[in-house]
């Protein structure tokens, strides 16, 4: 019996994606595997393969802005299981992945056997976390909930704020008026409990992993 039909791998390292594709393809007969090397490509895959059952997500894929992409995907697609794969192995990053909705976390330093064990566990409806990790530490639960309350468009605008784009530039890119962008900004500030773009970006960056992979 085929355990899973579609898996998306989101990582910007081509050799790592290739290795994962090879290993997963050999383990799960008949599975369709799709690769994304950026958030834009990941969003396209999520739209075109809405029936995908599992996402393997590198927190530091370009434009992911740390945990924000994980929060957005779990909010918009609660039926999609997500396993975080990361070069960061500190307890805080792993625990925050759990609080932001991941079903598992696999450090990139782990052997292939443990990667497969994690995928099999999550496919079967379980969770998988590295042994010996304290998952009860302090976290940014309130801000994670606030970020999750943003609409897809508001979340995208917040990420564009973080990239330093002006309202006029955002309006041009999204095909909206500046007045509409200002209205979205006001709604974002209200949901995040802040008053300015700078404060909104700082709040969002509370959910950034502390060490780059």
């Amino acid at each position: 019996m085929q355990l899973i039909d579609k898996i998306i791998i989101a990582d910007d390292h081509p050799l790592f994606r290739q290795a994962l594709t090879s290993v997963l393809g050999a383990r799960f007969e008949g599975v369709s595997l799709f690769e994304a090397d950026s958030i834009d490509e990941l969003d396209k895959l999520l739209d075109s393969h809405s029936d995908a059952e599992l996402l393997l997500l590198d927190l530091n894929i370009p434009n992911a802005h740390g945990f924000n992409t994980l929060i957005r995907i779990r909010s918009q697609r609660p039926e999609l299981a997500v396993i975080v794969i990361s070069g960061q192995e500190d307890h805080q990053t792993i625990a925050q992945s759990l609080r932001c909705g991941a079903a598992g976390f696999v450090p990139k330093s782990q052997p292939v056997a443990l990667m497969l064990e994690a995928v099999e566990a999550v496919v079967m409806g379980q969770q998988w976390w590295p042994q010996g990790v304290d998952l009860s530490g302090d976290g940014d639960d309130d801000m994670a909930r606030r970020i999750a309350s943003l609409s897809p468009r508001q979340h995208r605008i917040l990420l564009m704020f973080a990239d330093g784009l002006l309202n006029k530039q955002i309006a041009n890119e999204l095909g909206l008026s500046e007045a509409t962008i200002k209205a979205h900004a006001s709604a974002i500030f209200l949901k995040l409990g802040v008053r300015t773009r700078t404060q909104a970006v700082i709040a969002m960056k509370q959910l950034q992993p502390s060490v780059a992979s």
Side-chain angles (χ1 to χ4, degrees), residues 144-161:
R145 285 191 293 268
R146 288 174 181 266
I147 294 287
S149 74
L150 298 178
S151 70
R153 173 151 286 174
Q154 289 168 352
H155 192 273
R156 184 176 182 187
I157 290 172
L158 176 60
L159 295 183
M160 296 170 91
F161 286 168

Side-chain angles (χ1 to χ4, degrees), residues 34-77:
F34 304 92
E35 300 179 30
D37 61 3
S38 67
I39 291 303
D40 287 343
E41 186 64 27
L42 173 58
D43 285 339
K44 290 177 183 176
L45 286 177
L46 290 172
D47 287 340
S48 58
H49 300 284
S50 58
D51 57 342
E53 298 138 288
L54 178 64
L55 167 64
L56 303 181
L57 175 67
D58 182 353
L59 289 174
N60 287 312
I61 191 171
N63 297 320
H65 293 279
F67 291 102
N68 285 273
T69 292
L70 172 60
I71 293 169
R72 173 174 63 86
I73 290 173
R74 291 297 299 136
S75 174
Q76 296 172 10
R77 302 176 185 272

Side-chain angles (χ1 to χ4, degrees), residues 8-212:
I8 297 174
I9 301 168
D11 190 284
D12 62 331
H13 295 89
L15 291 179
F16 187 75
R17 291 199 314 273
Q18 183 179 16
L20 273 183
T21 298
S22 177
V23 168
L24 294 171
R27 172 61 186 86
F28 299 101
E29 183 178 357
V31 70
S32 296
L33 295 155
F34 304 92
E35 300 179 30
D37 61 3
S38 67
I39 291 303
D40 287 343
E41 186 64 27
L42 173 58
D43 285 339
K44 290 177 183 176
L45 286 177
L46 290 172
D47 287 340
S48 58
H49 300 284
S50 58
D51 57 342
E53 298 138 288
L54 178 64
L55 167 64
L56 303 181
L57 175 67
D58 182 353
L59 289 174
N60 287 312
I61 191 171
N63 297 320
H65 293 279
F67 291 102
N68 285 273
T69 292
L70 172 60
I71 293 169
R72 173 174 63 86
I73 290 173
R74 291 297 299 136
S75 174
Q76 296 172 10
R77 302 176 185 272
E79 74 287 349
L80 177 66
V82 181
I83 296 176
V84 170
I85 50 175
S86 179
Q88 300 165 233
E89 305 181 21
D90 60 284
H91 288 209
Q92 181 178 357
T93 298
I94 298 172
Q96 188 66 19
S97 296
L98 169 64
R99 286 189 287 268
C100 291
F105 185 104
V106 180
K108 288 186 176 180
S109 64
Q110 295 287 348
V112 170
L114 285 184
M115 172 67 75
L116 289 175
E117 179 183 309
V119 172
E120 289 174 359
V122 171
V123 167
M124 297 300 292
Q126 304 169 15
Q127 292 188 337
W128 195 96
W129 305 96
Q131 292 185 351
V133 174
D134 179 10
L135 297 175
S136 61
D138 293 335
D140 300 300
D141 293 355
D142 180 62
M143 186 52 61
R145 285 191 293 268
R146 288 174 181 266
I147 294 287
S149 74
L150 298 178
S151 70
R153 173 151 286 174
Q154 289 168 352
H155 192 273
R156 184 176 182 187
I157 290 172
L158 176 60
L159 295 183
M160 296 170 91
F161 286 168
D163 289 335
L165 297 183
L166 302 176
N167 285 352
K168 183 176 181 179
Q169 294 172 306
I170 296 173
N172 288 337
E173 185 163 335
L174 298 182
L176 302 171
S177 68
E178 285 190 65
T180 299
I181 299 303
K182 290 179 181 178
H184 279 304
S186 296
I188 291 168
F189 300 161
L190 181 62
K191 288 183 177 181
L192 299 189
V194 300
R195 294 184 177 182
T196 67
R197 285 172 53 133
T198 299
Q199 291 175 342
V201 171
I202 291 172
M204 183 192 76
K205 289 185 175 180
Q206 291 177 19
L207 301 177
Q208 296 272 42
S210 57
V211 182

